[in-house]
Amino acid sequence: MAEQLSQSELDYPFKLLEYFNGFRISKVIFTACELGVFDLLLGSQRPVSAGHLAQELGTSVDGMERLLDVLVGIEILDVETVDGTVSYSSTDVANLYLAKGSAKSLHDMILYQSQTIYPLWSNMVDAVREGKNQNERTFGLPAEDIFQAIYRSEEEMLKFMGLMNSSWVLDGQDIATAFNLSSFKTVVDLGGCSGAFARVMAKAYPSSSVTVFDLPQVVETAQKHFSEEDDTIIFQAGDFFDGDIPSADLYILARIIHDWNEDKCLKLLKKVYENCQPGGGILLVEAMLFENRRGPVMAQIFSLNMLVQTEGREHPPSQYSAMLTTAGFQDIQVCRTGKSYDAILAIK
């Protein structure tokens, strides 16, 4: 039975108004990131005025002041008034996650949300009516080839790869250690993109070799823009749908299955099973829905995003288990991390 609302909640719908305005809060943060507000504040040794920020970033003083005030209101920035002068400064959260120069920066994730996901979601009504992604209506690109839309230019590819990097800043360690994977000596991250999660795996299991397998243009871009001096991971180019995949003890499919319809998912899982060493396994990383359809809300939102951007969806554990069993895998274990993404390990 639904939760009973108090009379005050019925008289004034605080929660609904909070939800209605959610997109405005998102756009405030997106705008501040795109303008460089958090980077400038991180580099400042003292609180600064709206006028100083406006001058440095090429905006109006009035617009900047209003933007900063909202950021103070949602507790992302601090404000102080001394002798009539209003000055703004960063919080630890802004410095750690919103400034581009931080090791844990989510700046690239925010840019992708603002410049790609936000326009797609403006066509959500059409996505729900039609039951298909909105790449054609939003970007003028065929709905059938989802990665032609995602990788429609080098700039867009870099944005997407930056998004992947940001995701593993938050969830990588929890996923890598959700199970003890030390017995798997050869690991292949299928569709491993920039190699961010592969690097987390390589550090967690230094005695294992970790290979990123992705499309040739992705591998080239990853090696050009995302390589690190102490890299131990290997990159290999190929197409996991239409070509051969390397043999391995453990295959990782991180945020891959949710992109595709069930027929393509089963085709890929069966190919992985056929190439997997005896006693080897597969690690799926996805935002798993609850079986009772009551959440998690973030996973439900991700599933709606799959509608508007891809041809797939998020699933509950039972659906992933059914697909893995159909492909031939056994001994299926599920780990909910409590973060955005969860893990499923299955053995051949």
Side-chain angles (χ1 to χ4, degrees), residues 37-55:
V37 169
F38 303 115
D39 303 300
L40 196 153
L41 288 174
L42 176 62
S44 177
Q45 299 300 311
R46 61 183 186 277
V48 297
S49 68
H52 176 77
L53 281 161
Q55 182 177 10

Side-chain angles (χ1 to χ4, degrees), residues 154-225:
E154 183 177 4
E155 180 185 3
E156 290 302 317
M157 182 181 291
L158 285 169
K159 285 181 192 175
F160 181 79
M161 295 172 83
L163 166 72
M164 294 294 103
N165 271 18
S166 293
S167 298
W168 301 126
V169 164
L170 294 179
D171 292 274
Q173 187 64 26
D174 292 285
I175 294 297
T177 57
F179 306 101
N180 183 353
L181 305 174
S182 58
S183 63
F184 302 109
K185 298 306 178 185
T186 56
V187 180
V188 173
D189 187 357
L190 295 172
C193 201
S194 66
F197 183 58
R199 291 184 182 93
V200 177
M201 285 290 296
K203 290 175 182 176
Y205 304 101
S207 63
S208 300
S209 68
V210 183
T211 298
V212 173
F213 185 86
D214 214 317
L215 297 170
Q217 66 267 35
V218 176
V219 168
E220 181 182 354
T221 303
Q223 291 177 315
K224 180 179 178 182
H225 294 280

Side-chain angles (χ1 to χ4, degrees), residues 8-272:
S8 64
E9 289 171 313
L10 289 171
D11 289 341
Y12 200 89
F14 290 99
K15 184 62 70 174
L16 280 178
L17 291 174
E18 180 184 335
Y19 292 156
F20 295 165
N21 283 289
F23 78 97
R24 302 177 201 246
I25 298 295
S26 300
K27 203 59 179 173
V28 164
I29 299 170
F30 296 166
T31 299
C33 276
E34 291 185 61
L35 289 172
V37 169
F38 303 115
D39 303 300
L40 196 153
L41 288 174
L42 176 62
S44 177
Q45 299 300 311
R46 61 183 186 277
V48 297
S49 68
H52 176 77
L53 281 161
Q55 182 177 10
E56 292 293 317
L57 301 176
T59 75
S60 69
V61 176
D62 181 41
M64 178 58 68
E65 186 175 66
R66 297 184 201 208
L67 182 70
L68 295 172
D69 284 342
V70 178
L71 292 166
V72 170
I74 59 176
E75 300 181 346
I76 288 177
L77 296 183
D78 282 330
V79 66
E80 60 183 54
T81 304
V82 179
D83 296 329
T85 300
V86 180
S87 298
Y88 300 85
S89 59
S90 276
T91 60
D92 290 340
V93 167
N95 288 335
L96 188 61
Y97 292 113
L98 301 179
K100 190 174 182 179
S102 168
K104 291 191 174 184
S105 176
L106 303 180
H107 185 271
D108 288 339
M109 177 187 289
I110 290 165
L111 289 188
Y112 193 79
Q113 297 277 10
S114 179
Q115 298 171 6
T116 299
I117 302 301
Y118 198 88
L120 280 164
W121 276 62
S122 69
N123 293 311
M124 180 59 70
V125 170
D126 296 294
V128 172
R129 281 182 177 144
E130 299 165 3
K132 68 177 185 179
N133 70 58
Q134 295 301 300
N135 289 319
E136 184 172 358
R137 185 173 275 105
T138 308
F139 304 119
L141 295 168
E144 296 75 24
D145 190 343
I146 62 174
F147 276 90
Q148 182 183 339
I150 291 172
Y151 294 154
R152 58 191 181 275
S153 67
E154 183 177 4
E155 180 185 3
E156 290 302 317
M157 182 181 291
L158 285 169
K159 285 181 192 175
F160 181 79
M161 295 172 83
L163 166 72
M164 294 294 103
N165 271 18
S166 293
S167 298
W168 301 126
V169 164
L170 294 179
D171 292 274
Q173 187 64 26
D174 292 285
I175 294 297
T177 57
F179 306 101
N180 183 353
L181 305 174
S182 58
S183 63
F184 302 109
K185 298 306 178 185
T186 56
V187 180
V188 173
D189 187 357
L190 295 172
C193 201
S194 66
F197 183 58
R199 291 184 182 93
V200 177
M201 285 290 296
K203 290 175 182 176
Y205 304 101
S207 63
S208 300
S209 68
V210 183
T211 298
V212 173
F213 185 86
D214 214 317
L215 297 170
Q217 66 267 35
V218 176
V219 168
E220 181 182 354
T221 303
Q223 291 177 315
K224 180 179 178 182
H225 294 280
F226 295 94
S227 61
E228 298 181 2
E229 287 185 8
D230 59 347
D231 261 351
T232 61
I233 63 174
I234 302 163
F235 283 90
Q236 183 173 339
D239 186 325
F240 55 56
F241 276 127
D242 296 327
D244 295 329
I245 61 174
S247 179
D249 297 323
L250 178 70
Y251 290 93
I252 298 171
L253 287 170
R255 301 176 64 182
I256 301 296
I257 294 299
H258 74 172
D259 288 334
W260 310 102
N261 63 45
E262 190 164 337
D263 288 343
K264 287 183 181 177
C265 290
L266 286 172
K267 175 184 176 182
L268 179 56
L269 291 174
K270 288 176 180 178
K271 178 183 279 192
V272 170

